[in-house]
Amino acid sequence: DLDRPLENEAPQELVPLLDRLEAQKKSIDAQAAERRRFTANVSHELKTPLTVISGYAEIIDRGIARPEDVQRFVGLIHDEAQRMKTLVDELLTLSRLDDAQDPAESMALDMCQDVSLFKAARSVAGRLEPSAARRCVTLHVNAPDDEVSDILVKGNARMLEEMMRNLVENAIRYNVEGGSVTVSVSRDRRGAPMMRVADTGVGIPPNLREKVFERFFCVDESRSKETGGTGLGLAIVKHAAQLHGATVRVYGNDPRGSVFEVTFPLA
Ligand code: ADP
């Protein structure tokens, strides 16, 4: 009876199955931990502005604010409310992108539009021009020749513009006074459509370049907060790119700043 498996030892043919189950369990545990971390971050990020809002509102309500301070407090309340609105909007976008990845829900998002990358880039740059000007940053949109306006990708126009907006917004936000942002649309050597956002800003340390795509990750928390960042923008970029079969890469710009490059699949 030597062939009989020892007690507590799985029969040989079950080993691969058990390994697979073990791996699945680990992945589910990791997802649960990630979800807990995400919920904790969301609660914290919503609570912080709420505390400021209710604190100042209470001071004004009880009539204990000095008259010369009231206007400033109202301004702070407004800023924090705006921050909460941005955060809620971004959370909704992320959740819509999560749903879109689920085949059962993906019908909700029209992914069959022909989107001109050049037109999208121009429209995003047009909308962000005032915020670039406020920070003394110049904004360029480049296309090597006229033909480029025909670089089309299949997908959802709104999501692609949202992706570009987040990249350009960051390139302005993490720039320096007198710096520049260049959005370019082209094809790579194989002919795949691509879009690049290059800035001359503060740059990202090489060891953190992969981490910036994680939800709520900030290289410099104070700079991010000060400029209205939520830590969700690049998570949205990565998700939106994935949904279009595209890949996002980040590298350092020469002599300073960062370049974010999105490469779409060949048509
Ligand atoms: P945030 O809302 O904080 O900007 P993001 O997800 O858009 O969140 O970006 C994550 C972090 O990556 C930012 O906090 C910032 O530290 C860094 N980052 C993003 N884009 C740039 C850039 N163009 N230059 C330098 N740092 C950047």
Side-chain angles (χ1 to χ4, degrees), residues 147-166:
E147 262 179 66
V148 93
S149 48
D150 286 325
I151 295 190
L152 299 178
V153 299
K154 267 267 178 273
N156 184 273
R158 212 169 44 77
M159 275 301 160
L160 286 171
E161 286 203 10
E162 172 104 16
M163 182 181 84
M164 286 190 193
R165 189 178 55 78
N166 276 301

Side-chain angles (χ1 to χ4, degrees), residues 32-233:
E34 164 66 23
R35 205 160 293 148
R36 273 198 302 275
R37 196 172 64 89
F38 181 68
T39 311
N41 273 325
V42 171
S43 321
H44 174 78
E45 292 298 317
L46 287 172
K47 240 175 163 164
T48 313
L50 259 185
T51 310
V52 177
I53 290 172
S54 56
Y56 285 122
E58 188 181 341
I59 293 174
I60 295 169
D61 187 40
R62 287 167 57 190
I64 52 178
R66 290 183 308 185
E68 65 268 33
D69 284 335
V70 171
Q71 195 56 40
R72 190 166 59 85
F73 290 172
V74 171
L76 289 168
I77 290 173
H78 182 253
D79 288 350
E80 293 298 316
Q82 204 55 39
R83 209 184 143 66
M84 286 184 78
K85 183 178 177 310
T86 307
L87 184 65
V88 171
D89 283 346
E90 294 193 337
L91 286 168
L92 285 173
T93 303
L94 267 180
S95 122
R96 224 176 306 129
L97 283 166
D98 274 339
D99 284 349
Q101 242 128 15
D102 176 350
E105 301 277 351
S106 63
M107 301 304 285
L109 208 60
D110 176 6
M111 294 293 293
C112 294
Q113 299 165 348
D114 286 315
V115 186
S116 155
L117 287 185
F118 186 61
K119 280 190 197 136
R122 265 223 306 242
S123 138
V124 168
R127 272 181 283 144
L128 293 177
E129 190 64 64
S131 74
R134 260 199 309 279
R135 289 174 173 272
C136 301
V137 168
T138 40
L139 195 50
H140 310 275
V141 181
N142 271 354
D145 51 52
D146 282 348
E147 262 179 66
V148 93
S149 48
D150 286 325
I151 295 190
L152 299 178
V153 299
K154 267 267 178 273
N156 184 273
R158 212 169 44 77
M159 275 301 160
L160 286 171
E161 286 203 10
E162 172 104 16
M163 182 181 84
M164 286 190 193
R165 189 178 55 78
N166 276 301
L167 290 175
V168 178
E169 233 167 34
N170 280 348
I172 296 170
R173 181 183 291 159
Y174 301 103
N175 220 309
V176 292
E177 211 179 297
S180 67
V181 175
T182 308
V183 187
S184 22
V185 170
S186 59
R187 291 188 186 274
D188 71 3
R189 264 176 282 124
R190 298 167 308 136
M194 54 187 273
M195 196 222 37
R196 216 183 260 133
V197 180
D199 66 64
T200 58
V202 296
I204 304 169
N207 59 323
L208 299 179
R209 284 186 190 146
E210 279 313 305
K211 286 189 99 63
V212 292
F213 295 99
E214 290 173 12
R215 294 172 186 202
F216 292 114
F217 183 83
C218 298
V219 174
D220 174 352
E221 187 126 356
S222 66
R223 186 181 182 107
S224 180
K225 284 265 154 64
E226 187 187 303
T227 55
T230 57
L232 292 176

